C-alpha cells in the first residue's frame, strides 16, 4: 500500500517568554485605554513597535540565510520525528526512496530495501522537493512582519499628539 505523505508546517502552541511578553504588553494597552492615559498608550505602542521590530529582524535574518534556514528546519523536524515517531521516518524513506538524513546511517530506520542498495540521503531529496516551498513561506513571513511594522508605525504616528 502506497500512502502519500504530506509535510506541512505546524505552529507550536506553548507558553514561552514571547507569549508572556505579548500578554503583558496587551494588558498594558488595555489599562491605558481604560484609564484614558496617553502615556500608557504611547508606551504600549512603543513596546509593540519594538516587539514587531525584533520579529522583523529575526524574519529578515532567517530569510537572508535562506538555505541554512531550510536545512535547519528539515534537520529539526527529522530529529523530532526520529525520536518521537520512527514510523514517520520509515514512511518518508519508503515514499521518497532515500535512507538516513545526511548519510545512509544518520538516524535511519530499516526499510524492506535494507542497506543493500545505495539510496541517497533524505536531506538531499527533501531539500530538492520542499526547499523552494519553505523559501516562499519564509518570504511570506518577512512580508507579513514588514506590513505589521509599517501598520503599527503609522498607527502610532496618528495617535501621538
Amino acid at each position: 500500500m502506497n500512502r502519500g505523505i504530506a509535510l506541512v508546517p505546524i505552529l507550536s502552541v506553548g507558553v514561552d517568554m514571547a507569549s508572556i511578553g505579548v500578554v503583558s504588553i496587551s494588558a498594558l494597552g488595555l489599562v491605558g485605554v481604560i484609564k484614558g492615559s496617553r502615556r500608557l498608550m504611547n508606551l504600549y505602542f512603543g513596546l509593540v513597535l519594538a516587539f514587531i521590530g525584533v520579529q522583523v529582524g529575526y524574519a529578515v535574518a532567517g530569510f537572508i540565510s535562506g538555505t541554512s534556514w531550510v536545512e535547519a528546519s528539515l534537520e529539526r523536524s527529522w530529529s523530532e520525528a526520529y525520536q518521537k515517531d520512527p514510523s514517520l521516518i520509515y514512511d518518508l524513506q519508503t515514499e521518497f526512496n532515500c535512507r538516513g538524513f545526511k548519510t545512509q546511517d544518520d538516524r535511519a530506520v530499516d526499510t524492506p530495501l535494507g542497506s543493500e542498495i545505495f539510496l541517497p540521503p533524505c536531506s538531499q531529496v527533501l531539500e530538492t522537493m520542499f526547499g523552494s516551498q519553505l523559501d516562499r513561506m519564509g518570504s511570506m513571513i518577512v512580508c507579513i512582519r514588514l506590513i505589521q511594522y509599517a501598520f503599527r508605525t503609522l498607527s502610532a504616528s496618528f495617535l501621538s499628539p
Side-chain angles (χ1 to χ4, degrees), residues 119-138:
L119 294 172
C122 293
S123 65
Q124 294 173 357
V125 175
L126 294 173
E127 284 177 32
T128 301
M129 293 189 74
F130 300 107
S132 62
Q133 292 172 351
L134 289 172
D135 280 339
R136 277 195 304 273
M137 186 172 59

Side-chain angles (χ1 to χ4, degrees), residues 6-151:
L7 296 178
V8 294
I10 58 168
L11 297 175
S12 65
V13 178
V15 176
D16 56 8
M17 291 307 291
S19 300
I20 293 170
V22 168
V23 169
S24 300
I25 291 170
S26 299
L28 179 69
L30 289 173
V31 169
V33 168
I34 291 169
K35 288 188 172 190
S37 171
R38 199 107 168 115
R39 279 187 164 173
L40 283 178
M41 289 304 299
N42 286 336
L43 178 61
Y44 164 76
F45 277 112
L47 290 172
V48 167
L49 286 175
F51 184 74
I52 293 173
V54 169
Q55 288 182 331
V56 168
Y58 276 115
V60 168
F63 180 71
I64 289 172
S65 67
T67 305
S68 64
W69 178 78
V70 170
E71 291 170 2
S73 296
L74 290 172
E75 173 87 31
R76 187 175 43 256
S77 297
W78 190 273
S79 292
E80 188 174 328
Y82 185 75
Q83 291 172 359
K84 294 180 180 177
D85 188 10
S87 66
L88 177 60
I89 300 295
Y90 176 89
D91 291 342
L92 287 168
Q93 290 178 159
T94 304
E95 181 77 17
F96 298 117
N97 292 319
C98 58
R99 179 171 166 77
F101 187 69
K102 290 191 178 194
T103 66
Q104 279 199 326
D105 298 322
D106 179 27
R107 295 166 282 174
V109 175
D110 288 332
T111 59
L113 295 174
S115 57
E116 293 89 35
I117 63 171
F118 177 78
L119 294 172
C122 293
S123 65
Q124 294 173 357
V125 175
L126 294 173
E127 284 177 32
T128 301
M129 293 189 74
F130 300 107
S132 62
Q133 292 172 351
L134 289 172
D135 280 339
R136 277 195 304 273
M137 186 172 59
S139 300
M140 287 185 345
I141 290 170
V142 168
C143 290
I144 290 168
R145 297 294 188 217
L146 290 172
I147 290 168
Q148 283 179 327
Y149 190 72
F151 178 73

